[in-house]
Amino acid sequence: MGKNERITENIVRDKLKDLGYFDDEFLKVEEQISHNKTIKNCLAKASKNGKGAGKPEFIIHSSLNKDLVIVIECKADIKKHESKEKNKYAEYAVDGVLHYAKNLSTAYNVVSIAVSGQNEKELKTSVFLWAKGTNSPKVLVNQYNNEIDVILTFDELFKLASYNPDVEKKRYEDLLSFSRELHNYMRDYAKLTETEKPLLVSGILIALSDPAFSVNYQNYPFSILPTEMYEAIRREVEKAQIPKAKKQNMIQPYSFISVHPELAKLDKKTNETPLYRLVLDIDEKVRPFITIYQNFDVIGHFYGEFLKYTGGDKKALGIVLTPRHITDLFSKIAGVSSANKVLDTCCGTGGFLISAMSEMMKKSKTEEEREHIKANCLIGVEQQPNMFALAASNMILRGDGKANLYQGSCFDEAITKEIKNLNADVGMINPPYSQKGEGLHELDFVYHMLNCLKEGGIGIAIVPINCAISPHPMKETLLKEHTLEAVMSMPDDLFHPVGVVACIMVFKAHQPHNKNEYHKTWFGYWKNDGFIKTKHLGRTDLYNSWQEIRDNWLDSYFSKKEEPGSSVMKKVTSEDEWCAEAYLETDYSNISQDDFEHELKNYMLFKLLNGDTDD
């Protein structure tokens, strides 16, 4: 009896049924031909013999996670599973499915599954991932780097595909370009203020977490969409268990959505309102990103991007959001685990708390431990009502909403008392950068954060370099009560386009620096993080060098290495400069004749321009 491809297809169809593919309302399983317009276009010229449309055995896509498509190709004979060159598309399962994937990868991340065999026992399955916009496929592996050789549920495949670096990088780039489009659309069509833009994005994302709104928003009449959305936000906030946060304070900043005249204005050309268009786009392009990359402060990302395009107002200049790779670095410097409690007294949109939570989750082993982290181990304070609403929405969007969030000044006596009682042992802050004529200095925030930690706790702050090199009475106060463990000089353009040069300070709380006359502080020269300024993506890890650089930095920090040109141990007082540049030995071995002449020319030019050529 000859081998029959229908038998293989039936085995696969039964497998898909068992794995719930046909029961999921968001999944569509199609055979041979797709009714999805984009998929249809991609396969229009993808026939295996080069004539006409490609017709895979199965095409699977989701209305929730729209950037992933699964294609399955079957062959009856396991000898026809894969050819040596993978170029016999009509004859072999792997060759054929990768041919379809290549065509689909212009618009999607594609999981390609090749199946051959006539019964469960002999069945052969190969699974590949062709990341959107890349030139070749990769064998799909799990988190332990083992190859996947069976069909998994859609959610499992989606998750595994998401951890592929090419997929993550492309999704991030898409998110960046979408931020720009979104900003321009909000400015031109929705007429929103700077404050309202990030609030609307977070409001839409919260509303989309509400099942009723998520399923029905496309069917609401345009006139009631704003009210329905505001109600969905209210329901989600009421449901969230955010201790200390006053629910009303969180909901109030979103009230403009239900009454904003431009959001509900019908565009005659497109026959839709700006709010409807925004909900649709954010549902498709941002929501999947949030559900996958839990350690990413998406709200902070949009806030930062919107600020970038407008330059922000004078007040906003004091708010400089910490880049994601630096918030992650803080968690690694502190070595956070589920045994710690992390405090951010100027939490902004919650970037440090999100990174800390992600690091803790990675190290946790049980569901009980994870619940404990969400409920007890994250503490944030934010004074600005709008920023507080953004931080709270960030917590809700992570499906936990249990961080201890306080709205008000971190210097408020009642808040300070409550925070101290929570016994945090790790503090992380990026304080508001002081403007001329303002009372509070960045070091006042650092001092207060350290005072809120228990004895021996680690406090880490990123502050302008002036705090380290200029005299200030707070430097003396800090060293009287806490120990300066380390200071790292950061890249000059870290906060691009804001021109602030920063350093990271690491303190040990409530152990006076001055008491130990032999104590030396470690100074690191961390000026190159591998990020490159690009026109459309801002500072980005273009050559994927950050991970290696970060690991070298951390190794150097934890082992307190002293290396010419990059790190040094030095005994310092409040009178001294707290930065590596003041104490580093130059590593002359890397200096060439060209370097020397270049510096000499620069020096002569400097003298000439300053009218000083006497010596």
Side-chain angles (χ1 to χ4, degrees):
M1 189 178 133
K3 293 183 186 289
N4 185 344
E5 206 171 280
R6 299 293 86 78
I7 294 172
T8 317
E9 287 170 23
N10 287 337
I11 294 171
V12 170
R13 198 177 290 105
D14 289 344
K15 235 179 218 325
L16 293 174
K17 276 179 187 159
D18 291 346
L19 291 167
Y21 278 83
F22 291 95
D23 304 327
D24 190 327
E25 60 177 314
F26 300 111
L27 285 183
K28 200 159 193 61
V29 181
E30 299 177 300
E31 299 188 28
Q32 306 274 323
I33 293 164
S34 175
H35 292 92
N36 177 293
K37 202 173 158 189
T38 314
I39 294 174
K40 214 172 181 176
N41 288 344
C42 290
L43 293 174
K45 292 177 183 169
S47 162
K48 289 183 285 195
N49 59 18
K51 296 169 189 166
K55 295 181 178 179
E57 258 77 71
F58 297 93
I59 306 156
I60 303 162
H61 52 101
S62 161
S63 58
L64 269 187
N65 301 299
K66 296 177 183 176
D67 71 350
L68 185 82
V69 166
I70 299 171
V71 274
I72 304 175
E73 184 67 6
C74 302
K75 286 288 173 237
D77 191 344
I78 56 169
K79 289 181 186 148
K80 295 289 183 185
H81 189 69
E82 179 177 2
S83 82
K84 202 173 176 185
E85 302 295 328
K86 295 191 182 67
N87 60 358
K88 296 181 176 172
Y89 311 135
E91 293 172 54
Y92 290 85
V94 168
D95 306 32
V97 85
L98 290 180
H99 173 67
Y100 295 137
K102 184 179 184 177
N103 286 273
L104 286 162
S105 69
T106 54
Y108 298 97
N109 295 304
V110 191
V111 170
S112 329
I113 304 173
V115 184
S116 59
Q118 295 283 276
N119 57 60
E120 281 283 352
K121 215 172 177 184
E122 68 162 17
L123 211 66
K124 195 166 185 186
T125 307
S126 298
V127 187
F128 300 86
L129 171 70
W130 199 313
K132 181 175 163 185
T134 59
N135 299 323
S136 58
K138 286 180 180 166
V139 172
L140 188 67
V141 294
N142 65 15
Q143 64 267 49
Y144 309 111
N145 225 22
N146 299 324
E147 291 185 11
I148 304 297
D149 57 1
V150 291
I151 299 174
L152 299 171
T153 66
F154 182 88
D155 287 347
E156 286 171 314
L157 289 172
F158 183 73
K159 210 168 252 180
L160 293 177
S162 300
Y163 295 133
N164 173 283
D166 294 329
V167 171
E168 185 170 356
K169 197 173 180 188
K170 184 75 179 84
R171 278 190 178 140
Y172 179 57
E173 286 170 7
D174 289 348
L175 191 73
L176 276 176
S177 62
F178 177 63
S179 320
R180 280 192 297 279
E181 289 166 29
L182 195 64
H183 175 265
N184 295 339
Y185 184 84
M186 284 175 156
R187 181 194 59 209
D188 299 341
Y189 294 94
K191 308 283 189 289
L192 296 168
T193 67
E194 295 319 308
T195 310
E196 289 167 346
K197 283 175 197 164
L199 278 168
L200 182 59
V201 174
S202 75
I204 290 171
L205 285 165
I206 292 174
L208 287 167
S209 309
D210 177 71
F213 182 82
S214 177
V215 172
N216 296 313
Y217 76 85
Q218 295 190 43
N219 306 321
Y220 291 139
F222 291 141
S223 57
I224 68 162
L225 183 63
T227 323
E228 289 293 339
M229 185 175 139
Y230 181 65
E231 280 305 306
I233 294 170
R234 201 180 52 71
R235 284 195 297 272
E236 284 298 296
V237 170
E238 287 298 341
K239 202 167 75 184
Q241 292 142 28
I242 300 199
K244 318 299 174 211
K246 294 185 176 69
K247 299 281 172 83
Q248 197 44 46
N249 291 7
M250 280 180 57
I251 300 165
Q252 174 54 39
Y254 295 107
S255 56
F256 74 92
I257 292 167
S258 54
V259 294
H260 197 291
E262 298 293 333
L263 287 176
K265 194 184 268 184
L266 191 68
D267 183 331
K268 298 271 190 336
K269 277 188 223 156
T270 59
N271 199 32
E272 58 190 23
T273 62
L275 185 62
Y276 178 76
R277 168 52 40 202
L278 288 163
V279 176
L280 209 60
D281 283 353
I282 286 170
D283 188 15
E284 187 174 331
K285 296 181 175 150
V286 186
R287 192 169 166 218
F289 199 92
I290 280 200
T291 52
I292 309 156
Y293 305 112
Q294 293 275 305
N295 65 336
F296 189 73
D297 173 8
V298 175
I299 303 297
H301 161 81
F302 279 103
Y303 184 87
E305 286 300 303
F306 296 160
L307 209 62
K308 197 186 287 180
Y309 300 125
T310 57
D313 56 22
K314 189 75 184 125
K315 184 78 186 146
L317 288 177
I319 300 161
V320 185
L321 294 183
T322 318
R324 176 193 178 190
H325 69 297
I326 302 300
T327 59
D328 290 348
L329 180 67
F330 268 49
S331 292
K332 288 185 163 43
I333 290 171
V336 293
S337 71
S338 55
N340 296 111
K341 278 190 181 178
V342 178
L343 165 69
D344 182 351
T345 50
C346 319
C347 75
T349 59
F352 281 130
L353 297 178
I354 289 165
S355 283
M357 182 168 91
S358 170
E359 192 72 11
M360 289 166 157
M361 291 299 201
K362 274 185 220 159
K363 293 176 182 174
S364 62
K365 293 187 173 63
T366 64
E367 195 50 47
E368 199 181 337
E369 220 176 328
R370 286 188 273 277
E371 283 305 312
H372 170 72
I373 291 164
K374 293 174 187 176
N376 306 301
C377 300
L378 304 161
I379 309 154
V381 186
E382 177 51 47
Q383 183 163 19
Q384 292 194 13
N386 298 335
M387 202 61 117
F388 175 79
L390 295 176
S393 68
N394 244 333
M395 292 300 153
I396 292 171
L397 292 170
R398 267 152 195 79
D400 53 79
K402 297 196 186 86
N404 292 278
L405 290 178
Y406 296 81
Q407 190 191 342
S409 163
C410 64
F411 297 101
D412 177 275
E413 279 182 32
I415 291 176
T416 302
K417 190 179 173 188
E418 280 203 48
I419 286 170
K420 283 184 177 177
N421 288 338
L422 291 171
N423 282 324
D425 52 5
V426 173
M428 302 179 182
I429 59 164
N430 173 355
Y433 292 171
S434 58
Q435 324 256 288
K436 277 182 184 164
E438 285 186 9
L440 288 167
H441 188 269
E442 291 90 350
L443 292 180
D444 289 314
F445 286 91
V446 177
Y447 177 65
H448 180 263
M449 176 265 286
L450 290 168
N451 288 345
C452 291
L453 299 179
K454 63 191 218 184
E455 189 180 336
I458 295 289
I460 313 171
I462 187 160
V463 292
I465 193 72
N466 284 348
C467 296
I469 57 179
S470 305
H472 194 278
M474 188 47 80
K475 284 170 85 171
E476 189 181 347
T477 310
L478 277 164
L479 296 194
K480 265 186 190 161
E481 296 177 37
H482 312 286
T483 298
L484 182 63
E485 290 288 340
V487 181
M488 296 73 123
S489 304
M490 301 313 286
D492 291 356
D493 56 0
L494 183 69
F495 289 114
H496 172 78
V498 180
V500 175
V501 180
C503 65
I504 291 175
M505 294 182 178
V506 184
F507 289 90
K508 192 163 266 190
H510 307 293
Q511 294 182 0
H513 187 100
N514 300 342
K515 266 194 183 165
N516 183 352
E517 56 183 299
Y518 303 108
H519 179 78
K520 285 184 175 179
T521 300
W522 186 82
F523 293 94
Y525 189 70
W526 289 1
K527 283 289 179 182
N528 176 21
D529 59 359
F531 279 62
I532 309 287
K533 272 190 287 190
T534 60
K535 193 176 177 188
H536 294 302
L537 301 175
R539 283 187 96 247
T540 182
D541 183 16
L542 208 56
Y543 305 113
N544 297 323
S545 50
W546 162 241
Q547 202 168 331
E548 192 183 337
I549 290 169
R550 179 200 68 198
D551 292 347
N552 286 336
W553 283 0
L554 290 166
D555 176 53
S556 196
Y557 165 76
F558 283 114
S559 54
K560 299 292 179 268
K561 279 183 188 165
E562 290 194 83
E563 297 168 290
S566 62
S567 57
V568 65
M569 296 284 289
K570 202 78 187 165
K571 201 178 142 188
V572 291
T573 69
S574 57
E575 305 292 313
D576 297 310
E577 292 188 11
W578 295 353
C579 67
E581 292 88 323
Y583 310 111
L584 280 179
E585 284 178 42
T586 306
D587 183 1
Y588 293 105
S589 63
N590 295 326
I591 295 177
S592 67
Q593 181 73 21
D594 288 349
D595 293 330
F596 178 71
E597 287 173 11
H598 178 71
E599 286 304 317
L600 203 60
K601 282 174 190 165
N602 279 350
Y603 179 69
M604 292 308 292
L605 193 63
F606 170 77
K607 288 288 203 183
L608 207 65
L609 291 172
N610 286 281
D612 180 6
T613 51
D614 293 346
D615 51 36

